[in-house]
Amino acid sequence: SNPALNAYMQLMSDSLNAVTYHAWWPGSSDPMYQHNIQQNRDRIQFMKGNVNATPWLNVDGVIVDVWPFTSGNLSGAYNTRMAVSSPLGLEVNNRRISNDSIEVRVKAFLLSDLPQGTWKLRVYAVEHPIDYTAAPGSNGEKHFPHVFRKSVPNSSGDLFPTTAGNYEFIYRYKVETAWKDSNISSIAVVQDDLTKEVANTGSSNIA
């Protein structure tokens, strides 16, 4: 199933952001899960619905378990969310501040008040792609796109303002030795902890 999903993500890469969390099943020895066990678990357990299979596609936190990965199902989920206007724009910029550290500036442009909720801003370090010469698991897969590496500042995120206005947030994180730093981007997500709905996302590659 993954090749069909990966091909669709690549096709629509100019208008969506993807994050792939690696789980403790079917094999807890998955090196991308083992790299950041707690935060992978935090994000999977946060998601709405009973995530009990892999692969599992959750779109904007509110379209849960898109399956199977046919063109019609994927396009249907995409079009459903694109039809919902967002009052929020996000601009994400990275810069290297030392040999092993990245500073992320997130500019948020909130044109109107957000609905009531507990809105959070989270920043993810994502590595895309990770390719292995030998498959790390028993299913033969060697290509892994949009791999979640770290939540910044933590899994909970920071409270995001709900009143219209322009805001800026600054975060810093270390580039870890297991990462290929030229493949790392930062993705900012504004999401309601109550409904799980994502208002918008933004992404930037390292400059």
Side-chain angles (χ1 to χ4, degrees), residues 178-199:
W179 307 352
K180 185 177 180 179
D181 60 357
S182 60
N183 289 356
I184 295 292
S185 63
S186 298
I187 294 181
V189 177
V190 174
Q191 184 173 28
D192 182 10
D193 274 5
L194 301 180
T195 66
K196 315 300 184 188
E197 182 171 16
V198 172

Side-chain angles (χ1 to χ4, degrees), residues 83-103:
V84 179
S85 61
S86 173
L88 174 65
L90 292 171
E91 180 183 303
V92 184
N93 290 289
N94 286 351
R95 73 181 183 97
R96 222 177 250 286
I97 56 173
S98 69
N99 287 338
D100 66 349
S101 296
I102 300 299
E103 180 181 86

Side-chain angles (χ1 to χ4, degrees), residues 136-155:
S138 59
N139 62 1
E141 285 190 272
K142 300 177 183 179
H143 175 73
F144 301 91
H146 316 291
V147 176
F148 169 80
R149 286 306 204 178
K150 180 183 287 187
S151 290
V152 183
N154 50 48
S155 292

Side-chain angles (χ1 to χ4, degrees), residues 8-164:
Y8 187 83
M9 294 294 187
Q10 181 62 35
L11 178 67
M12 308 302 289
S13 61
D14 63 337
S15 57
L16 58 79
N17 289 311
V19 182
T20 302
Y21 306 103
H22 283 245
W24 51 99
W25 78 91
S28 62
S29 61
D30 181 327
M32 290 158 285
Y33 166 69
Q34 287 289 331
H35 178 73
N36 191 344
I37 291 173
Q38 188 58 57
Q39 289 191 338
N40 271 297
R41 293 182 74 96
D42 290 344
R43 301 312 309 145
I44 291 170
Q45 291 170 339
F46 169 86
M47 285 189 280
K48 190 175 183 180
N50 182 24
V51 179
N52 57 14
T54 56
W56 182 286
L57 177 60
N58 184 312
V59 180
D60 274 355
V62 291
I63 301 179
V64 179
D65 190 22
V66 177
W67 185 260
F69 295 153
T70 63
S71 177
N73 285 345
L74 295 170
S75 294
Y78 173 85
N79 291 332
T80 296
R81 290 305 295 165
M82 289 298 286
V84 179
S85 61
S86 173
L88 174 65
L90 292 171
E91 180 183 303
V92 184
N93 290 289
N94 286 351
R95 73 181 183 97
R96 222 177 250 286
I97 56 173
S98 69
N99 287 338
D100 66 349
S101 296
I102 300 299
E103 180 181 86
V104 186
R105 289 181 178 263
V106 180
K107 293 182 179 180
F109 310 97
L110 187 53
L111 302 181
S112 60
D113 293 355
L114 287 172
Q116 273 195 322
T118 303
W119 293 91
K120 296 285 190 68
L121 171 65
R122 297 182 179 93
V123 172
Y124 304 137
V126 173
E127 187 170 354
H128 174 73
I130 296 178
D131 290 307
Y132 288 87
T133 54
S138 59
N139 62 1
E141 285 190 272
K142 300 177 183 179
H143 175 73
F144 301 91
H146 316 291
V147 176
F148 169 80
R149 286 306 204 178
K150 180 183 287 187
S151 290
V152 183
N154 50 48
S155 292
S156 296
D158 286 330
L159 280 173
F160 185 81
T162 58
T163 304

